[in-house]
Amino acid sequence: MRYPQGGGLTAERQQFREELRLKAAERFAQGEASSLIARDLRVSVRSVQRWRQMWDEGGPRALRSQGLVSLPRLSQKQFAQLEAELAKGPAAHGWEDQRWTLARIKTVIGRRFHLTYTIQGVRKLLVRNGWSCQVPTRRAMERDDEAVAGWVKEIWPCAEGSRRPVEPGSSSRTKLGSP
């Protein structure tokens, strides 16, 4: 399963889902229809059907939670060390600008802990530990608003091009002169 935040389920949410599956198992034993169970438990019918299949094959034990999909490769102590490294800023690690990217964080993890992460793995690690993407709250001091306004007036219209045909057209796909 994929989750929007990329971090998977929390322990509480995992326990909640397991309880739902076990409630469904009790109702499977009573012979209730999947659609009724799905409506009462407020889940999809397809989920109930999958649970029923698992229950048929392995009983209620098959519906128990299997635990975390993968164990985090950085311990909480190591993640705290990583946060301390990130707090020092990118300049302390050899980058000229003050912008952390996933690729840079991946490099810091490799240098500091001798672990290899993918870019997506770094994102999941950060999200799992409460980090989020950040957007600057203010504009850069170097920004030249007059230059931006001139570019929008002069260069952008040429680059964008015209969106409508110059001459009137027809909504018909056939040619006007065809029989």
Side-chain angles (χ1 to χ4, degrees):
M1 266 191 244
R2 293 178 187 230
Y3 300 94
Q5 293 80 24
L9 295 176
T10 63
E12 297 82 25
R13 190 71 183 156
Q14 198 170 22
Q15 178 68 30
F16 172 75
R17 295 290 294 182
E18 180 179 338
E19 290 171 8
L20 279 180
R21 291 190 301 269
L22 294 176
K23 286 179 187 176
E26 293 171 5
R27 297 176 72 175
F28 296 155
Q30 297 170 3
E32 290 189 40
S34 296
S35 58
L36 292 174
I37 297 170
R39 187 188 68 215
D40 292 345
L41 297 179
R42 300 175 75 175
V43 296
S44 70
V45 175
R46 180 66 189 121
S47 290
V48 174
Q49 290 170 344
R50 273 196 322 270
W51 298 344
R52 186 182 298 270
Q53 183 179 6
M54 291 168 58
W55 180 76
D56 286 340
E57 294 171 2
R61 185 179 197 127
L63 297 175
R64 292 234 174 251
S65 177
Q66 302 298 314
L68 292 174
V69 175
S70 64
L71 295 173
R73 294 169 57 200
L74 281 182
S75 67
Q76 287 299 324
K77 182 180 177 183
Q78 289 174 319
F79 190 79
Q81 292 172 354
L82 175 63
E83 285 182 314
E85 294 296 322
L86 296 178
K88 293 177 185 176
H93 295 279
W95 288 286
E96 293 182 12
D97 62 356
Q98 289 295 312
R99 186 182 70 224
W100 280 116
T101 63
L102 293 174
R104 289 179 178 183
I105 296 172
K106 175 187 171 195
T107 303
V108 171
I109 291 172
R111 288 177 185 166
R112 181 76 169 88
F113 304 107
H114 305 289
L115 290 173
T116 304
Y117 269 85
T118 63
I119 298 291
Q120 195 66 12
V122 172
R123 187 185 69 78
K124 288 181 181 181
L125 173 71
L126 294 173
V127 168
R128 188 178 297 137
N129 286 283
W131 287 59
S132 64
C133 296
Q134 299 296 308
V135 178
T137 56
R138 56 186 171 83
R139 290 186 177 171
M141 290 178 13
E142 299 85 6
R143 180 179 166 120
D144 183 0
D145 287 327
E146 291 177 14
V148 171
W151 184 88
V152 168
K153 284 181 184 174
E154 297 170 17
I155 299 173
W156 177 245
C158 298
E160 185 179 35
S162 175
R163 293 183 185 256
R164 295 181 180 226
V166 177
E167 50 195 58
S170 171
S171 61
S172 173
R173 291 162 148 238
T174 59
K175 293 183 179 176
L176 293 175
S178 65

